[in-house]
Amino acid sequence: MEPPVILFDGVCNYCNAMVNFVLRADREKKLRFAALQSEAGQRLLAKHGLPPDSLESFVFIERGQVWDRSTAVLQVLRYLPWYFQPARIGWLLPRSWRDGLYNRIARNRYRWFGKRDACMIPTPEVKARFLD
């Protein structure tokens, strides 16, 4: 069985900060990661019928199911420690509201947080959690 995977925009500073946050918070080290621009990310997008140029979305894949945007974020919260669980109250909001906020951040993320010239290169201790 494949481990749960987070696909993220590898050149987005905000996205990289969120991945680093999840890397630290996922103490059981169950989650795996791949940049959407990477070969592994592109393979997973193709495998699940998602467009290869859809870099505006955060994608979470678990047990063959695919979630994106705010729903993906809420799914990831299940893997974080107990003190992050109150954030799951987001499920009470309609998806259109949650995704509206998500889309606003996604549209402005490069302007607000900047962009890298290349995808993040993980440290050796973190590299094992990234898909090749």
Side-chain angles (χ1 to χ4, degrees), residues 5 7 9 15 24-25 27 38 41 44 49 53-54 57 76 87 105 108 116:
V5 178
L7 300 178
D9 180 353
C15 304
R24 287 187 305 274
R27 294 186 180 142
S38 71
L44 284 168
D53 58 350
S54 176
S57 188
V76 168
I105 294 169
N108 293 293
R116 298 170 183 238

Side-chain angles (χ1 to χ4, degrees), residues 1-21:
M1 183 180 262
E2 295 177 358
V5 178
I6 293 173
L7 300 178
F8 66 99
D9 180 353
V11 298
C12 168
N13 285 336
Y14 179 73
C15 304
N16 278 284
M18 291 298 101
V19 166
N20 286 326
F21 167 78

Side-chain angles (χ1 to χ4, degrees), residues 28-128:
E28 295 182 23
K29 300 182 180 356
K30 290 184 177 182
L31 299 170
R32 299 294 177 261
F33 304 85
L36 289 161
Q37 298 89 340
S38 71
E39 287 182 31
Q42 290 293 300
R43 274 194 315 271
L44 284 168
L45 289 173
K47 177 180 177 179
H48 294 283
L50 299 170
D53 58 350
S54 176
L55 301 179
E56 296 254 333
S57 188
F58 174 81
V59 178
F60 183 60
I61 302 170
E62 179 186 44
R63 295 185 197 117
Q65 290 189 294
V66 178
W67 294 279
D68 68 350
R69 302 182 190 279
S70 65
T71 303
V73 172
L74 291 170
Q75 290 291 342
V76 168
L77 285 171
R78 295 181 298 119
Y79 289 88
L80 303 185
W82 66 268
Y83 44 87
F84 291 107
Q85 299 312 304
R88 293 178 66 194
I89 197 166
W91 284 112
L92 297 176
L93 297 173
R95 182 171 182 168
S96 61
W97 293 8
R98 291 186 281 121
D99 281 350
L101 176 60
Y102 178 95
N103 291 338
R104 179 158 185 207
I105 294 169
R107 275 191 309 271
N108 293 293
R109 69 190 188 279
Y110 295 148
R111 186 169 12 135
W112 292 345
F113 304 102
K115 184 176 178 181
R116 298 170 183 238
D117 292 331
C119 291
M120 165 175 89
I121 299 174
T123 61
E125 60 270 9
V126 172
K127 188 171 179 154

